[in-house]
Amino acid sequence: MEAHTWALAHALHRRGHDVQLFAAPGSDPALGARELPVRKVVLSREARADSSMPSGTWMQEHHAYLGLMLDLARHGEHRFDVVHNNSLHYLPVAMASALRVPIVTTLHTPPTPWLESAIQTPEICPVTFTAVSEFTASAWKATVPAARVVHNGIDTDFWRPGPGGDDLVWFGRMVPEKGPHLAIQAARTAGVPLRLAGPVADRAYFEKRVEPLLGEDAQYVGHLDRRRLVELVGAAGAALVTPCWDEPYGLVVAEALACGTPVCGFDRGALAEILTPDCGVLAPPGDVEALARLVPVAAGLDRRAARRRAEEFCSFDRTADAYTDLYEELMR
């Protein structure tokens, strides 16, 4: 979501739009972000001791979104033409009727109870919904029957083609739902060296399930900056993508294709929407043996076809054009 929002804000700036981004501290200063929380909540000792007190982080987020939505309700009509919500928080949807400007909400994840409740609170929810894939739109269909699909995109100028190579690559967050331990098992079964990159977001999982599997044929190269990651992905013969949950989109697939690197993955979530037979192959979910058998097939695919698929289907210009058209439609 953060990568998508960053790319969308930059793309809209480049198109001449005036964009005000509300985001967390530490966001790209080039975007001129207004930091959330807007105001820090100060709770009494009695309130903090109450049995209904949630975590401090939850409370800070709630206060930030509440303050932002009240501000937009008071002043948004004079400052903005459209409000685009890319958060998972329920308040931007629950309070949408208080705004006098159109609000767009992008569905980035499977359904959540808080958001479903917010959507169902008014008789008619005054929000225009988009979804990052057909798969995600289908998952939300019971609550949002008409979400417009706008596929996620990537900067295909930055994610550029590489020379390829003999090794495999896996990249992403080191968490159970991304399944890096399964990628190691598949690569080892296929007899092909693997390099893994990404932040260790779940230290206990990494130490218990990933670290013991590492060796000369499966090396963790750390959390790389984006330029080094492009070089790593572009120098691989194929990218392993091993989701253990239904990916709402799968940015790593698009990024690998943009580097000219074919994909060998599990058929979960939206991966089948991105891949075509000339740029990737899919194994049944969780089937390590089947994934290993597909490794040489993926490595033998045409790198030019992978890059072409990224340019035609995964380019962020395509995403930004779709959102620009939607904004103009809502403003008419």
Side-chain angles (χ1 to χ4, degrees), residues 6 13 19 39 42 67 85 101 130 133 197 220 229-230 232 245 267 275 291 312:
W6 177 88
H13 272 302
V19 180
R39 299 182 191 86
V42 178
N85 168 40
V101 296
T130 64
S133 65
Y220 172 58
L229 187 57
V230 168
L232 177 71
W245 75 312
D267 189 3
L275 294 173
L291 190 68
E312 294 174 354

Side-chain angles (χ1 to χ4, degrees), residues 197-209:
V200 178
D202 187 329
R203 174 60 61 178
Y205 162 74
F206 180 78
E207 292 178 350
K208 183 178 181 180
R209 302 294 304 278

Side-chain angles (χ1 to χ4, degrees), residues 96-110:
S97 59
L99 274 61
R100 296 180 181 177
V101 296
I103 182 166
V104 176
T105 289
T106 296
L107 302 170
H108 289 273
T109 69

Side-chain angles (χ1 to χ4, degrees), residues 29-274:
L31 293 174
R34 177 175 170 183
E35 291 187 354
L36 294 174
V38 179
R39 299 182 191 86
K40 186 175 181 180
V41 61
V42 178
L43 301 177
S44 67
R45 182 175 59 185
E46 290 77 12
R48 294 195 306 272
D50 188 81
S51 59
S52 67
M53 177 65 188
S55 70
T57 299
W58 190 98
M59 198 67 224
Q60 292 288 356
E61 287 188 352
H62 173 84
H63 191 67
Y65 281 109
L66 181 59
L68 171 60
M69 293 305 294
L70 289 172
D71 182 55
L72 290 174
R74 287 190 295 263
H75 308 296
E77 181 181 11
H78 307 293
R79 293 162 53 195
F80 305 110
D81 296 312
V82 176
V83 172
H84 190 161
N85 168 40
N86 279 288
S87 76
L88 297 179
H89 207 274
Y90 67 95
L91 277 177
V93 173
M95 297 181 65
S97 59
L99 274 61
R100 296 180 181 177
V101 296
I103 182 166
V104 176
T105 289
T106 296
L107 302 170
H108 289 273
T109 69
T112 62
W114 289 96
L115 202 46
E116 283 197 346
S117 171
I119 293 167
Q120 296 175 50
T121 299
E123 186 173 346
I124 299 176
C125 184
V127 175
T128 298
F129 289 95
T130 64
V132 298
S133 65
E134 296 284 355
F135 176 85
T136 301
S138 177
W140 281 91
K141 204 167 188 63
T143 313
V144 184
R148 182 180 307 201
V149 175
V150 180
H151 287 98
N152 271 339
I154 59 165
D155 184 348
T156 51
D157 291 331
F158 183 85
W159 293 91
R160 60 192 182 277
D166 297 325
D167 294 353
L168 300 171
V169 67
W170 183 100
F171 60 109
R173 292 180 297 116
M174 294 283 171
V175 290
E177 61 265 30
K178 300 294 184 181
H181 66 288
L182 299 179
I184 297 173
Q185 294 171 8
R188 188 161 286 151
T189 301
V192 183
L194 171 70
R195 287 181 290 177
L196 303 97
V200 178
D202 187 329
R203 174 60 61 178
Y205 162 74
F206 180 78
E207 292 178 350
K208 183 178 181 180
R209 302 294 304 278
V210 178
E211 211 166 32
L213 297 176
L214 298 176
E216 287 189 12
D217 63 341
Q219 298 180 5
Y220 172 58
V221 298
H223 184 194
L224 306 181
D225 63 46
R226 293 206 313 153
R227 294 191 182 279
R228 290 172 62 202
L229 187 57
V230 168
E231 293 174 0
L232 177 71
V233 177
L240 293 184
V241 182
T242 51
C244 295
W245 75 312
D246 291 328
E247 286 283 357
Y249 180 74
L251 276 177
V252 296
V253 175
E255 290 162 353
L257 296 179
C259 293
T261 303
V263 171
C264 184
F266 289 142
D267 189 3
R268 295 203 64 163
L271 267 64
E273 291 179 47
I274 308 173

